[in-house]
């Protein structure tokens, strides 16, 4: 009677199958994933099929990115114009960063893309009547349309006066152009230049001091310049203290991480 050879263990046969199929298929799915690992193992010393330590390491997570800094309404040209204008309204100085560094242009962009830019909560249906002088200009344009019209006019006025677009002229020339709008010396197709300047200035200041969740006030630097505590959960343990207490500000996003 012939002696039968013992059966190979199941694990051993599976390893050989993977090894040979990976070698044969090369760059196909098995060769690209499993075969690539096996091929590496074969070229190194050590038990067959052993996975090297580097193959089991957890891949490093990508660097954190500020996804709030993404355009939703402006074109690149409009964004550059509003960024330059906001920086002249709230410039960087010894007290801290200016509008550009604080990301104010992103705040304005996001506002124009949302309900505020569409005047969603306001009555915008004709007939329109001329307002009294004490009432100011009553908008017939949506804010997003007025802002886009004003930015185009900034560039046109800068081109006429200084032969270049607003973002490319000197800071002194930019101040001169903005002053002309502030003094209502520019007419935007029937809309007073002051109306555009007023909304741009208000949006700039809002972007400096709004919660970073809305795109501006980057790193809460606007609050830090004012020693403003931001959105603290409670002051119960501090409210009765007589001395001034300076605390690190908290944003709405911080509360999500603390909860």
């Amino acid at each position: 009677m012939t002696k039968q050879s013992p059966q190979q263990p199941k694990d051993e046969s599976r390893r050989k199958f993977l090894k040979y199929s990976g070698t044969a298929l090369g760059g196909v799915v098995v060769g690209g994933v499993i075969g690539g690992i096996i091929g590496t193992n074969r070229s190194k010393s050590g038990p067959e099929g052993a996975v090297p330590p580097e193959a089991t390491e957890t891949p490093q997570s990508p660097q954190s990115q500020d996804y709030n800094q993404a355009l939703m309404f402006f074109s690149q040209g409009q964004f550059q114009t509003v960024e330059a204008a906001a920086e002249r309204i709230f410039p960087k100085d010894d007290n801290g960063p200016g509008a550009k560094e604080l990301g104010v242009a992103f705040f304005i962009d996001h506002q124009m893309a949302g309900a505020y830019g569409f005047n969603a909560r306001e009555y915008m249906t004709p007939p329109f009547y001329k307002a009294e002088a004490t009432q100011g200009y009553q908008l017939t344009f949506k804010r997003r349309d007025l802002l886009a019209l004003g930015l185009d006019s900034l560039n046109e006025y800068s081109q006429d006066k200084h032969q270049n677009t607003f973002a490319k002229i000197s800071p002194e020339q930019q101040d001169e152009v903005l002053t002309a709008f502030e003094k209502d010396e520019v007419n935007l197709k029937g809309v007073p230049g002051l109306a555009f300047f007023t909304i741009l200035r208000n949006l700039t200041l809002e972007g400096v001091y709004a919660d970073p969740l809305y795109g501006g006030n980057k790193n809460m630097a606007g609050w830090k310049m004012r020693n403003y505590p931001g959105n603290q959960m409670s002051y119960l343990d501090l409210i009765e203290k007589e001395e001034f207490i300076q605390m690190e500000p908290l944003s709405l996003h911080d509360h999500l991480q603390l909860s």
Side-chain angles (χ1 to χ4, degrees), residues 46-76:
E48 185 179 359
V51 180
E54 59 269 21
T56 62
E57 292 179 358
T58 304
Q60 295 182 351
S61 59
Q63 293 182 345
S64 60
Q65 300 180 28
D66 188 351
Y67 294 103
N68 240 358
Q69 293 196 341
L71 294 182
M72 300 179 181
F73 173 70
F74 291 136
S75 66
Q76 284 292 337

Side-chain angles (χ1 to χ4, degrees), residues 1 3 8 11 13 31 38 76-77 80 90 95 107 114 120 127 161 169 175 184 195 198 201 207 216 223 238 248 258:
M1 187 172 66
K3 185 177 180 181
Q8 290 182 323
D11 289 344
S13 60
I38 296 174
Q76 284 292 337
Q80 292 170 2
F90 195 93
N95 295 316
F107 168 84
K161 293 291 183 179
I169 59 179
D175 290 346
D184 214 7
T198 300
R201 178 182 58 192
W223 289 349
L238 305 173
E248 283 295 312
L258 293 173

